[in-house]
PDB file of all heavy atoms in Angstrom:
ATOM      1  N   LEU A  94      11.907 -43.765 -20.279  1.00  0.00           N
ATOM      2  CA  LEU A  94      12.893 -42.850 -20.834  1.00  0.00           C
ATOM      3  C   LEU A  94      14.193 -43.599 -21.126  1.00  0.00           C
ATOM      4  O   LEU A  94      14.548 -44.545 -20.420  1.00  0.00           O
ATOM      5  CB  LEU A  94      13.178 -41.708 -19.869  1.00  0.00           C
ATOM      6  CG  LEU A  94      11.973 -40.894 -19.395  1.00  0.00           C
ATOM      7  CD1 LEU A  94      12.453 -39.735 -18.501  1.00  0.00           C
ATOM      8  CD2 LEU A  94      11.155 -40.382 -20.554  1.00  0.00           C
ATOM      9  N   SER A  95      14.881 -43.146 -22.154  1.00  0.00           N
ATOM     10  CA  SER A  95      16.177 -43.712 -22.507  1.00  0.00           C
ATOM     11  C   SER A  95      17.224 -42.611 -22.539  1.00  0.00           C
ATOM     12  O   SER A  95      16.936 -41.483 -22.939  1.00  0.00           O
ATOM     13  CB  SER A  95      16.119 -44.385 -23.875  1.00  0.00           C
ATOM     14  OG  SER A  95      15.208 -45.455 -23.887  1.00  0.00           O
ATOM     15  N   CYS A  96      18.416 -42.962 -22.122  1.00  0.00           N
ATOM     16  CA  CYS A  96      19.564 -42.059 -22.178  1.00  0.00           C
ATOM     17  C   CYS A  96      20.680 -42.822 -22.873  1.00  0.00           C
ATOM     18  O   CYS A  96      21.152 -43.839 -22.358  1.00  0.00           O
ATOM     19  CB  CYS A  96      19.975 -41.649 -20.772  1.00  0.00           C
ATOM     20  SG  CYS A  96      21.515 -40.708 -20.674  1.00  0.00           S
ATOM     21  N   ALA A  97      21.081 -42.332 -24.030  1.00  0.00           N
ATOM     22  CA  ALA A  97      22.093 -43.030 -24.817  1.00  0.00           C
ATOM     23  C   ALA A  97      23.250 -42.106 -25.163  1.00  0.00           C
ATOM     24  O   ALA A  97      23.076 -40.888 -25.283  1.00  0.00           O
ATOM     25  CB  ALA A  97      21.460 -43.589 -26.089  1.00  0.00           C
ATOM     26  N   ALA A  98      24.417 -42.703 -25.322  1.00  0.00           N
ATOM     27  CA  ALA A  98      25.547 -41.953 -25.854  1.00  0.00           C
ATOM     28  C   ALA A  98      25.300 -41.747 -27.339  1.00  0.00           C
ATOM     29  O   ALA A  98      24.967 -42.700 -28.048  1.00  0.00           O
ATOM     30  CB  ALA A  98      26.840 -42.713 -25.621  1.00  0.00           C
ATOM     31  N   SER A  99      25.438 -40.518 -27.796  1.00  0.00           N
ATOM     32  CA  SER A  99      25.144 -40.235 -29.189  1.00  0.00           C
ATOM     33  C   SER A  99      26.173 -40.877 -30.105  1.00  0.00           C
ATOM     34  O   SER A  99      27.278 -41.230 -29.685  1.00  0.00           O
ATOM     35  CB  SER A  99      25.112 -38.737 -29.422  1.00  0.00           C
ATOM     36  OG  SER A  99      26.415 -38.212 -29.409  1.00  0.00           O
ATOM     37  N   ALA A 100      25.789 -40.992 -31.362  1.00  0.00           N
ATOM     38  CA  ALA A 100      26.692 -41.566 -32.360  1.00  0.00           C
ATOM     39  C   ALA A 100      27.958 -40.729 -32.521  1.00  0.00           C
ATOM     40  O   ALA A 100      28.998 -41.227 -32.931  1.00  0.00           O
ATOM     41  CB  ALA A 100      25.963 -41.677 -33.694  1.00  0.00           C
ATOM     42  N   ALA A 101      27.857 -39.453 -32.156  1.00  0.00           N
ATOM     43  CA  ALA A 101      29.006 -38.561 -32.279  1.00  0.00           C
ATOM     44  C   ALA A 101      29.964 -38.680 -31.095  1.00  0.00           C
ATOM     45  O   ALA A 101      31.062 -38.117 -31.132  1.00  0.00           O
ATOM     46  CB  ALA A 101      28.524 -37.117 -32.403  1.00  0.00           C
ATOM     47  N   SER A 102      29.564 -39.446 -30.078  1.00  0.00           N
ATOM     48  CA  SER A 102      30.415 -39.568 -28.900  1.00  0.00           C
ATOM     49  C   SER A 102      31.665 -40.387 -29.197  1.00  0.00           C
ATOM     50  O   SER A 102      31.592 -41.393 -29.907  1.00  0.00           O
ATOM     51  CB  SER A 102      29.639 -40.236 -27.759  1.00  0.00           C
ATOM     52  OG  SER A 102      28.574 -39.438 -27.343  1.00  0.00           O
ATOM     53  N   THR A 103      32.745 -39.947 -28.608  1.00  0.00           N
ATOM     54  CA  THR A 103      33.976 -40.737 -28.715  1.00  0.00           C
ATOM     55  C   THR A 103      34.140 -41.648 -27.508  1.00  0.00           C
ATOM     56  O   THR A 103      35.049 -42.475 -27.478  1.00  0.00           O
ATOM     57  CB  THR A 103      35.189 -39.811 -28.836  1.00  0.00           C
ATOM     58  OG1 THR A 103      35.191 -38.878 -27.748  1.00  0.00           O
ATOM     59  CG2 THR A 103      35.153 -39.042 -30.144  1.00  0.00           C
ATOM     60  N   PHE A 104      33.246 -41.490 -26.522  1.00  0.00           N
ATOM     61  CA  PHE A 104      33.269 -42.339 -25.346  1.00  0.00           C
ATOM     62  C   PHE A 104      31.929 -43.060 -25.237  1.00  0.00           C
ATOM     63  O   PHE A 104      30.907 -42.599 -25.734  1.00  0.00           O
ATOM     64  CB  PHE A 104      33.506 -41.514 -24.077  1.00  0.00           C
ATOM     65  CG  PHE A 104      34.881 -40.923 -23.980  1.00  0.00           C
ATOM     66  CD1 PHE A 104      35.115 -39.613 -24.332  1.00  0.00           C
ATOM     67  CD2 PHE A 104      35.946 -41.697 -23.552  1.00  0.00           C
ATOM     68  CE1 PHE A 104      36.377 -39.062 -24.253  1.00  0.00           C
ATOM     69  CE2 PHE A 104      37.220 -41.155 -23.469  1.00  0.00           C
ATOM     70  CZ  PHE A 104      37.431 -39.845 -23.827  1.00  0.00           C
ATOM     71  N   THR A 105      31.934 -44.174 -24.526  1.00  0.00           N
ATOM     72  CA  THR A 105      30.705 -44.895 -24.232  1.00  0.00           C
ATOM     73  C   THR A 105      30.319 -44.623 -22.781  1.00  0.00           C
ATOM     74  O   THR A 105      31.021 -43.931 -22.042  1.00  0.00           O
ATOM     75  CB  THR A 105      30.890 -46.400 -24.444  1.00  0.00           C
ATOM     76  OG1 THR A 105      31.770 -46.905 -23.405  1.00  0.00           O
ATOM     77  CG2 THR A 105      31.498 -46.695 -25.805  1.00  0.00           C
ATOM     78  N   LEU A 106      29.190 -45.229 -22.365  1.00  0.00           N
ATOM     79  CA  LEU A 106      28.760 -45.075 -20.982  1.00  0.00           C
ATOM     80  C   LEU A 106      29.449 -46.050 -20.027  1.00  0.00           C
ATOM     81  O   LEU A 106      29.171 -46.045 -18.828  1.00  0.00           O
ATOM     82  CB  LEU A 106      27.245 -45.254 -20.887  1.00  0.00           C
ATOM     83  CG  LEU A 106      26.413 -44.097 -21.449  1.00  0.00           C
ATOM     84  CD1 LEU A 106      24.929 -44.424 -21.386  1.00  0.00           C
ATOM     85  CD2 LEU A 106      26.707 -42.810 -20.703  1.00  0.00           C
ATOM     86  N   GLU A 107      30.333 -46.864 -20.564  1.00  0.00           N
ATOM     87  CA  GLU A 107      31.071 -47.783 -19.713  1.00  0.00           C
ATOM     88  C   GLU A 107      31.868 -46.996 -18.680  1.00  0.00           C
ATOM     89  O   GLU A 107      32.424 -45.944 -18.976  1.00  0.00           O
ATOM     90  CB  GLU A 107      32.012 -48.652 -20.546  1.00  0.00           C
ATOM     91  CG  GLU A 107      32.658 -49.778 -19.774  1.00  0.00           C
ATOM     92  CD  GLU A 107      33.533 -50.655 -20.669  1.00  0.00           C
ATOM     93  OE1 GLU A 107      33.853 -50.239 -21.803  1.00  0.00           O
ATOM     94  OE2 GLU A 107      33.891 -51.773 -20.226  1.00  0.00           O
ATOM     95  N   TYR A 108      31.917 -47.476 -17.471  1.00  0.00           N
ATOM     96  CA  TYR A 108      32.622 -46.841 -16.358  1.00  0.00           C
ATOM     97  C   TYR A 108      32.009 -45.500 -15.939  1.00  0.00           C
ATOM     98  O   TYR A 108      32.639 -44.727 -15.224  1.00  0.00           O
ATOM     99  CB  TYR A 108      34.105 -46.631 -16.669  1.00  0.00           C
ATOM    100  CG  TYR A 108      34.836 -47.902 -17.017  1.00  0.00           C
ATOM    101  CD1 TYR A 108      35.447 -48.058 -18.259  1.00  0.00           C
ATOM    102  CD2 TYR A 108      34.903 -48.955 -16.114  1.00  0.00           C
ATOM    103  CE1 TYR A 108      36.108 -49.225 -18.588  1.00  0.00           C
ATOM    104  CE2 TYR A 108      35.563 -50.135 -16.436  1.00  0.00           C
ATOM    105  CZ  TYR A 108      36.168 -50.258 -17.685  1.00  0.00           C
ATOM    106  OH  TYR A 108      36.816 -51.419 -18.009  1.00  0.00           O
ATOM    107  N   HIS A 109      30.803 -45.206 -16.414  1.00  0.00           N
ATOM    108  CA  HIS A 109      30.118 -43.984 -16.028  1.00  0.00           C
ATOM    109  C   HIS A 109      28.946 -44.279 -15.098  1.00  0.00           C
ATOM    110  O   HIS A 109      28.136 -45.170 -15.373  1.00  0.00           O
ATOM    111  CB  HIS A 109      29.559 -43.250 -17.251  1.00  0.00           C
ATOM    112  CG  HIS A 109      30.591 -42.552 -18.069  1.00  0.00           C
ATOM    113  ND1 HIS A 109      31.441 -43.215 -18.935  1.00  0.00           N
ATOM    114  CD2 HIS A 109      30.910 -41.231 -18.153  1.00  0.00           C
ATOM    115  CE1 HIS A 109      32.233 -42.340 -19.527  1.00  0.00           C
ATOM    116  NE2 HIS A 109      31.940 -41.128 -19.066  1.00  0.00           N
ATOM    117  N   ALA A 110      28.861 -43.537 -13.986  1.00  0.00           N
ATOM    118  CA  ALA A 110      27.617 -43.492 -13.235  1.00  0.00           C
ATOM    119  C   ALA A 110      26.669 -42.595 -14.020  1.00  0.00           C
ATOM    120  O   ALA A 110      27.088 -41.593 -14.627  1.00  0.00           O
ATOM    121  CB  ALA A 110      27.853 -42.920 -11.845  1.00  0.00           C
ATOM    122  N   VAL A 111      25.387 -42.934 -14.019  1.00  0.00           N
ATOM    123  CA  VAL A 111      24.402 -42.169 -14.782  1.00  0.00           C
ATOM    124  C   VAL A 111      23.217 -41.830 -13.884  1.00  0.00           C
ATOM    125  O   VAL A 111      22.691 -42.701 -13.177  1.00  0.00           O
ATOM    126  CB  VAL A 111      23.914 -42.948 -16.017  1.00  0.00           C
ATOM    127  CG1 VAL A 111      22.838 -42.147 -16.762  1.00  0.00           C
ATOM    128  CG2 VAL A 111      25.081 -43.261 -16.948  1.00  0.00           C
ATOM    129  N   GLY A 112      22.823 -40.588 -13.914  1.00  0.00           N
ATOM    130  CA  GLY A 112      21.702 -40.146 -13.105  1.00  0.00           C
ATOM    131  C   GLY A 112      20.604 -39.527 -13.938  1.00  0.00           C
ATOM    132  O   GLY A 112      20.844 -39.039 -15.050  1.00  0.00           O
ATOM    133  N   TRP A 113      19.396 -39.562 -13.405  1.00  0.00           N
ATOM    134  CA  TRP A 113      18.253 -38.855 -13.998  1.00  0.00           C
ATOM    135  C   TRP A 113      17.847 -37.731 -13.050  1.00  0.00           C
ATOM    136  O   TRP A 113      17.727 -37.953 -11.838  1.00  0.00           O
ATOM    137  CB  TRP A 113      17.068 -39.794 -14.208  1.00  0.00           C
ATOM    138  CG  TRP A 113      17.206 -40.700 -15.380  1.00  0.00           C
ATOM    139  CD1 TRP A 113      17.631 -42.001 -15.380  1.00  0.00           C
ATOM    140  CD2 TRP A 113      16.918 -40.380 -16.757  1.00  0.00           C
ATOM    141  NE1 TRP A 113      17.621 -42.503 -16.658  1.00  0.00           N
ATOM    142  CE2 TRP A 113      17.187 -41.535 -17.514  1.00  0.00           C
ATOM    143  CE3 TRP A 113      16.447 -39.239 -17.408  1.00  0.00           C
ATOM    144  CZ2 TRP A 113      17.014 -41.574 -18.906  1.00  0.00           C
ATOM    145  CZ3 TRP A 113      16.275 -39.277 -18.777  1.00  0.00           C
ATOM    146  CH2 TRP A 113      16.557 -40.439 -19.510  1.00  0.00           C
ATOM    147  N   PHE A 114      17.634 -36.568 -13.613  1.00  0.00           N
ATOM    148  CA  PHE A 114      17.207 -35.404 -12.861  1.00  0.00           C
ATOM    149  C   PHE A 114      15.987 -34.812 -13.565  1.00  0.00           C
ATOM    150  O   PHE A 114      15.738 -35.104 -14.738  1.00  0.00           O
ATOM    151  CB  PHE A 114      18.337 -34.360 -12.799  1.00  0.00           C
ATOM    152  CG  PHE A 114      19.544 -34.841 -12.056  1.00  0.00           C
ATOM    153  CD1 PHE A 114      20.476 -35.680 -12.668  1.00  0.00           C
ATOM    154  CD2 PHE A 114      19.766 -34.470 -10.744  1.00  0.00           C
ATOM    155  CE1 PHE A 114      21.590 -36.148 -11.984  1.00  0.00           C
ATOM    156  CE2 PHE A 114      20.876 -34.923 -10.042  1.00  0.00           C
ATOM    157  CZ  PHE A 114      21.780 -35.765 -10.666  1.00  0.00           C
ATOM    158  N   ARG A 115      15.249 -33.992 -12.857  1.00  0.00           N
ATOM    159  CA  ARG A 115      14.096 -33.338 -13.493  1.00  0.00           C
ATOM    160  C   ARG A 115      13.941 -31.926 -12.963  1.00  0.00           C
ATOM    161  O   ARG A 115      14.373 -31.611 -11.853  1.00  0.00           O
ATOM    162  CB  ARG A 115      12.813 -34.136 -13.259  1.00  0.00           C
ATOM    163  CG  ARG A 115      12.344 -34.197 -11.805  1.00  0.00           C
ATOM    164  CD  ARG A 115      11.160 -35.142 -11.681  1.00  0.00           C
ATOM    165  NE  ARG A 115      10.660 -35.201 -10.306  1.00  0.00           N
ATOM    166  CZ  ARG A 115       9.713 -36.041  -9.905  1.00  0.00           C
ATOM    167  NH1 ARG A 115       9.168 -36.909 -10.755  1.00  0.00           N
ATOM    168  NH2 ARG A 115       9.312 -36.022  -8.643  1.00  0.00           N
ATOM    169  N   GLN A 116      13.334 -31.102 -13.798  1.00  0.00           N
ATOM    170  CA  GLN A 116      13.075 -29.725 -13.406  1.00  0.00           C
ATOM    171  C   GLN A 116      11.712 -29.309 -13.933  1.00  0.00           C
ATOM    172  O   GLN A 116      11.474 -29.330 -15.148  1.00  0.00           O
ATOM    173  CB  GLN A 116      14.158 -28.779 -13.933  1.00  0.00           C
ATOM    174  CG  GLN A 116      14.021 -27.363 -13.414  1.00  0.00           C
ATOM    175  CD  GLN A 116      15.272 -26.535 -13.625  1.00  0.00           C
ATOM    176  OE1 GLN A 116      16.101 -26.834 -14.471  1.00  0.00           O
ATOM    177  NE2 GLN A 116      15.424 -25.476 -12.850  1.00  0.00           N
ATOM    178  N   ALA A 117      10.848 -28.950 -13.013  1.00  0.00           N
ATOM    179  CA  ALA A 117       9.521 -28.461 -13.359  1.00  0.00           C
ATOM    180  C   ALA A 117       9.566 -26.931 -13.430  1.00  0.00           C
ATOM    181  O   ALA A 117      10.432 -26.305 -12.810  1.00  0.00           O
ATOM    182  CB  ALA A 117       8.503 -28.917 -12.321  1.00  0.00           C
ATOM    183  N   PRO A 118       8.651 -26.319 -14.160  1.00  0.00           N
ATOM    184  CA  PRO A 118       8.631 -24.859 -14.271  1.00  0.00           C
ATOM    185  C   PRO A 118       8.575 -24.190 -12.902  1.00  0.00           C
ATOM    186  O   PRO A 118       7.752 -24.561 -12.060  1.00  0.00           O
ATOM    187  CB  PRO A 118       7.358 -24.589 -15.081  1.00  0.00           C
ATOM    188  CG  PRO A 118       7.152 -25.819 -15.876  1.00  0.00           C
ATOM    189  CD  PRO A 118       7.599 -26.947 -14.977  1.00  0.00           C
ATOM    190  N   GLY A 119       9.470 -23.247 -12.678  1.00  0.00           N
ATOM    191  CA  GLY A 119       9.486 -22.508 -11.434  1.00  0.00           C
ATOM    192  C   GLY A 119      10.059 -23.252 -10.245  1.00  0.00           C
ATOM    193  O   GLY A 119      10.008 -22.758  -9.119  1.00  0.00           O
ATOM    194  N   LYS A 120      10.594 -24.441 -10.505  1.00  0.00           N
ATOM    195  CA  LYS A 120      11.147 -25.235  -9.405  1.00  0.00           C
ATOM    196  C   LYS A 120      12.619 -25.526  -9.639  1.00  0.00           C
ATOM    197  O   LYS A 120      13.122 -25.445 -10.756  1.00  0.00           O
ATOM    198  CB  LYS A 120      10.366 -26.539  -9.250  1.00  0.00           C
ATOM    199  CG  LYS A 120       8.928 -26.352  -8.802  1.00  0.00           C
ATOM    200  CD  LYS A 120       8.280 -27.687  -8.470  1.00  0.00           C
ATOM    201  CE  LYS A 120       6.878 -27.502  -7.926  1.00  0.00           C
ATOM    202  NZ  LYS A 120       6.246 -28.800  -7.569  1.00  0.00           N
ATOM    203  N   GLU A 121      13.279 -25.893  -8.550  1.00  0.00           N
ATOM    204  CA  GLU A 121      14.683 -26.275  -8.639  1.00  0.00           C
ATOM    205  C   GLU A 121      14.814 -27.653  -9.297  1.00  0.00           C
ATOM    206  O   GLU A 121      13.907 -28.488  -9.213  1.00  0.00           O
ATOM    207  CB  GLU A 121      15.285 -26.339  -7.229  1.00  0.00           C
ATOM    208  CG  GLU A 121      15.293 -25.021  -6.479  1.00  0.00           C
ATOM    209  CD  GLU A 121      16.380 -24.105  -6.974  1.00  0.00           C
ATOM    210  OE1 GLU A 121      17.464 -24.611  -7.320  1.00  0.00           O
ATOM    211  OE2 GLU A 121      16.160 -22.888  -7.036  1.00  0.00           O
ATOM    212  N   ARG A 122      15.957 -27.854  -9.937  1.00  0.00           N
ATOM    213  CA  ARG A 122      16.237 -29.194 -10.468  1.00  0.00           C
ATOM    214  C   ARG A 122      16.396 -30.169  -9.311  1.00  0.00           C
ATOM    215  O   ARG A 122      17.007 -29.830  -8.292  1.00  0.00           O
ATOM    216  CB  ARG A 122      17.511 -29.153 -11.304  1.00  0.00           C
ATOM    217  CG  ARG A 122      17.909 -30.473 -11.920  1.00  0.00           C
ATOM    218  CD  ARG A 122      19.124 -30.280 -12.813  1.00  0.00           C
ATOM    219  NE  ARG A 122      20.213 -29.605 -12.130  1.00  0.00           N
ATOM    220  CZ  ARG A 122      21.314 -29.190 -12.718  1.00  0.00           C
ATOM    221  NH1 ARG A 122      21.479 -29.366 -14.028  1.00  0.00           N
ATOM    222  NH2 ARG A 122      22.257 -28.584 -12.022  1.00  0.00           N
ATOM    223  N   GLU A 123      15.845 -31.357  -9.461  1.00  0.00           N
ATOM    224  CA  GLU A 123      15.938 -32.350  -8.395  1.00  0.00           C
ATOM    225  C   GLU A 123      16.398 -33.687  -8.951  1.00  0.00           C
ATOM    226  O   GLU A 123      16.120 -34.039 -10.099  1.00  0.00           O
ATOM    227  CB  GLU A 123      14.590 -32.520  -7.685  1.00  0.00           C
ATOM    228  CG  GLU A 123      13.472 -33.047  -8.557  1.00  0.00           C
ATOM    229  CD  GLU A 123      12.204 -33.332  -7.749  1.00  0.00           C
ATOM    230  OE1 GLU A 123      12.260 -33.350  -6.505  1.00  0.00           O
ATOM    231  OE2 GLU A 123      11.156 -33.550  -8.373  1.00  0.00           O
ATOM    232  N   ALA A 124      17.083 -34.419  -8.115  1.00  0.00           N
ATOM    233  CA  ALA A 124      17.535 -35.752  -8.498  1.00  0.00           C
ATOM    234  C   ALA A 124      16.367 -36.724  -8.449  1.00  0.00           C
ATOM    235  O   ALA A 124      15.527 -36.661  -7.544  1.00  0.00           O
ATOM    236  CB  ALA A 124      18.648 -36.216  -7.559  1.00  0.00           C
ATOM    237  N   VAL A 125      16.325 -37.601  -9.412  1.00  0.00           N
ATOM    238  CA  VAL A 125      15.281 -38.620  -9.485  1.00  0.00           C
ATOM    239  C   VAL A 125      15.852 -40.001  -9.157  1.00  0.00           C
ATOM    240  O   VAL A 125      15.342 -40.705  -8.293  1.00  0.00           O
ATOM    241  CB  VAL A 125      14.640 -38.645 -10.884  1.00  0.00           C
ATOM    242  CG1 VAL A 125      13.624 -39.783 -10.986  1.00  0.00           C
ATOM    243  CG2 VAL A 125      13.987 -37.308 -11.195  1.00  0.00           C
ATOM    244  N   SER A 126      16.933 -40.356  -9.842  1.00  0.00           N
ATOM    245  CA  SER A 126      17.508 -41.675  -9.649  1.00  0.00           C
ATOM    246  C   SER A 126      18.915 -41.707 -10.210  1.00  0.00           C
ATOM    247  O   SER A 126      19.285 -40.873 -11.038  1.00  0.00           O
ATOM    248  CB  SER A 126      16.646 -42.739 -10.346  1.00  0.00           C
ATOM    249  OG  SER A 126      17.142 -44.040 -10.100  1.00  0.00           O
ATOM    250  N   CYS A 127      19.692 -42.682  -9.759  1.00  0.00           N
ATOM    251  CA  CYS A 127      21.045 -42.845 -10.272  1.00  0.00           C
ATOM    252  C   CYS A 127      21.411 -44.320 -10.262  1.00  0.00           C
ATOM    253  O   CYS A 127      20.944 -45.077  -9.399  1.00  0.00           O
ATOM    254  CB  CYS A 127      22.040 -42.054  -9.431  1.00  0.00           C
ATOM    255  SG  CYS A 127      23.737 -42.196 -10.016  1.00  0.00           S
ATOM    256  N   VAL A 128      22.237 -44.723 -11.211  1.00  0.00           N
ATOM    257  CA  VAL A 128      22.739 -46.094 -11.267  1.00  0.00           C
ATOM    258  C   VAL A 128      24.250 -46.048 -11.392  1.00  0.00           C
ATOM    259  O   VAL A 128      24.811 -45.200 -12.092  1.00  0.00           O
ATOM    260  CB  VAL A 128      22.104 -46.880 -12.445  1.00  0.00           C
ATOM    261  CG1 VAL A 128      22.425 -46.238 -13.792  1.00  0.00           C
ATOM    262  CG2 VAL A 128      22.520 -48.338 -12.434  1.00  0.00           C
ATOM    263  N   SER A 129      24.905 -46.944 -10.686  1.00  0.00           N
ATOM    264  CA  SER A 129      26.364 -47.006 -10.738  1.00  0.00           C
ATOM    265  C   SER A 129      26.826 -47.577 -12.073  1.00  0.00           C
ATOM    266  O   SER A 129      26.037 -48.144 -12.837  1.00  0.00           O
ATOM    267  CB  SER A 129      26.883 -47.866  -9.591  1.00  0.00           C
ATOM    268  OG  SER A 129      26.421 -49.201  -9.740  1.00  0.00           O
ATOM    269  N   SER A 130      28.119 -47.464 -12.334  1.00  0.00           N
ATOM    270  CA  SER A 130      28.656 -47.936 -13.612  1.00  0.00           C
ATOM    271  C   SER A 130      28.484 -49.439 -13.786  1.00  0.00           C
ATOM    272  O   SER A 130      28.301 -49.930 -14.898  1.00  0.00           O
ATOM    273  CB  SER A 130      30.125 -47.547 -13.748  1.00  0.00           C
ATOM    274  OG  SER A 130      30.894 -48.151 -12.721  1.00  0.00           O
ATOM    275  N   SER A 131      28.519 -50.165 -12.680  1.00  0.00           N
ATOM    276  CA  SER A 131      28.336 -51.619 -12.752  1.00  0.00           C
ATOM    277  C   SER A 131      26.877 -52.013 -12.887  1.00  0.00           C
ATOM    278  O   SER A 131      26.565 -53.146 -13.272  1.00  0.00           O
ATOM    279  CB  SER A 131      28.908 -52.283 -11.501  1.00  0.00           C
ATOM    280  OG  SER A 131      28.083 -52.013 -10.389  1.00  0.00           O
ATOM    281  N   GLY A 132      25.996 -51.075 -12.527  1.00  0.00           N
ATOM    282  CA  GLY A 132      24.577 -51.410 -12.474  1.00  0.00           C
ATOM    283  C   GLY A 132      24.165 -52.048 -11.161  1.00  0.00           C
ATOM    284  O   GLY A 132      22.990 -52.296 -10.933  1.00  0.00           O
ATOM    285  N   GLY A 133      25.135 -52.274 -10.291  1.00  0.00           N
ATOM    286  CA  GLY A 133      24.842 -52.969  -9.049  1.00  0.00           C
ATOM    287  C   GLY A 133      24.264 -52.118  -7.950  1.00  0.00           C
ATOM    288  O   GLY A 133      23.706 -52.637  -6.981  1.00  0.00           O
ATOM    289  N   SER A 134      24.420 -50.800  -8.072  1.00  0.00           N
ATOM    290  CA  SER A 134      23.878 -49.892  -7.055  1.00  0.00           C
ATOM    291  C   SER A 134      22.951 -48.885  -7.701  1.00  0.00           C
ATOM    292  O   SER A 134      23.252 -48.347  -8.779  1.00  0.00           O
ATOM    293  CB  SER A 134      25.013 -49.140  -6.362  1.00  0.00           C
ATOM    294  OG  SER A 134      25.808 -50.018  -5.606  1.00  0.00           O
ATOM    295  N   THR A 135      21.828 -48.637  -7.024  1.00  0.00           N
ATOM    296  CA  THR A 135      20.871 -47.644  -7.506  1.00  0.00           C
ATOM    297  C   THR A 135      20.376 -46.816  -6.327  1.00  0.00           C
ATOM    298  O   THR A 135      20.374 -47.280  -5.181  1.00  0.00           O
ATOM    299  CB  THR A 135      19.654 -48.299  -8.185  1.00  0.00           C
ATOM    300  OG1 THR A 135      19.025 -49.200  -7.263  1.00  0.00           O
ATOM    301  CG2 THR A 135      20.071 -49.077  -9.431  1.00  0.00           C
ATOM    302  N   ASN A 136      19.988 -45.595  -6.627  1.00  0.00           N
ATOM    303  CA  ASN A 136      19.373 -44.722  -5.631  1.00  0.00           C
ATOM    304  C   ASN A 136      18.145 -44.055  -6.233  1.00  0.00           C
ATOM    305  O   ASN A 136      18.103 -43.812  -7.456  1.00  0.00           O
ATOM    306  CB  ASN A 136      20.367 -43.653  -5.159  1.00  0.00           C
ATOM    307  CG  ASN A 136      21.389 -44.202  -4.193  1.00  0.00           C
ATOM    308  OD1 ASN A 136      21.049 -44.862  -3.221  1.00  0.00           O
ATOM    309  ND2 ASN A 136      22.660 -43.931  -4.447  1.00  0.00           N
ATOM    310  N   TYR A 137      17.187 -43.738  -5.384  1.00  0.00           N
ATOM    311  CA  TYR A 137      15.958 -43.101  -5.841  1.00  0.00           C
ATOM    312  C   TYR A 137      15.555 -41.987  -4.881  1.00  0.00           C
ATOM    313  O   TYR A 137      15.759 -42.092  -3.674  1.00  0.00           O
ATOM    314  CB  TYR A 137      14.805 -44.116  -5.905  1.00  0.00           C
ATOM    315  CG  TYR A 137      15.013 -45.219  -6.898  1.00  0.00           C
ATOM    316  CD1 TYR A 137      15.608 -46.415  -6.536  1.00  0.00           C
ATOM    317  CD2 TYR A 137      14.601 -45.058  -8.232  1.00  0.00           C
ATOM    318  CE1 TYR A 137      15.796 -47.436  -7.458  1.00  0.00           C
ATOM    319  CE2 TYR A 137      14.783 -46.066  -9.158  1.00  0.00           C
ATOM    320  CZ  TYR A 137      15.380 -47.248  -8.769  1.00  0.00           C
ATOM    321  OH  TYR A 137      15.573 -48.250  -9.689  1.00  0.00           O
ATOM    322  N   ALA A 138      14.939 -40.955  -5.431  1.00  0.00           N
ATOM    323  CA  ALA A 138      14.309 -39.948  -4.596  1.00  0.00           C
ATOM    324  C   ALA A 138      13.102 -40.574  -3.914  1.00  0.00           C
ATOM    325  O   ALA A 138      12.445 -41.462  -4.483  1.00  0.00           O
ATOM    326  CB  ALA A 138      13.872 -38.761  -5.452  1.00  0.00           C
ATOM    327  N   ASP A 139      12.808 -40.130  -2.702  1.00  0.00           N
ATOM    328  CA  ASP A 139      11.670 -40.690  -1.962  1.00  0.00           C
ATOM    329  C   ASP A 139      10.372 -40.559  -2.756  1.00  0.00           C
ATOM    330  O   ASP A 139       9.494 -41.424  -2.682  1.00  0.00           O
ATOM    331  CB  ASP A 139      11.533 -39.987  -0.618  1.00  0.00           C
ATOM    332  CG  ASP A 139      12.628 -40.381   0.362  1.00  0.00           C
ATOM    333  OD1 ASP A 139      13.298 -41.412   0.134  1.00  0.00           O
ATOM    334  OD2 ASP A 139      12.817 -39.641   1.347  1.00  0.00           O
TER     335      ASP A 139
END
């Protein structure tokens, strides 16, 4: 999967932490993973 700032954005992803979440039918949204703005730190769901 890719997550990009759209061409219409006036900001970039620089200095942004970015996370991936998912939601299955009938279930709560859950965190999947996140990366810090530097890329040096990451977290994952078990």
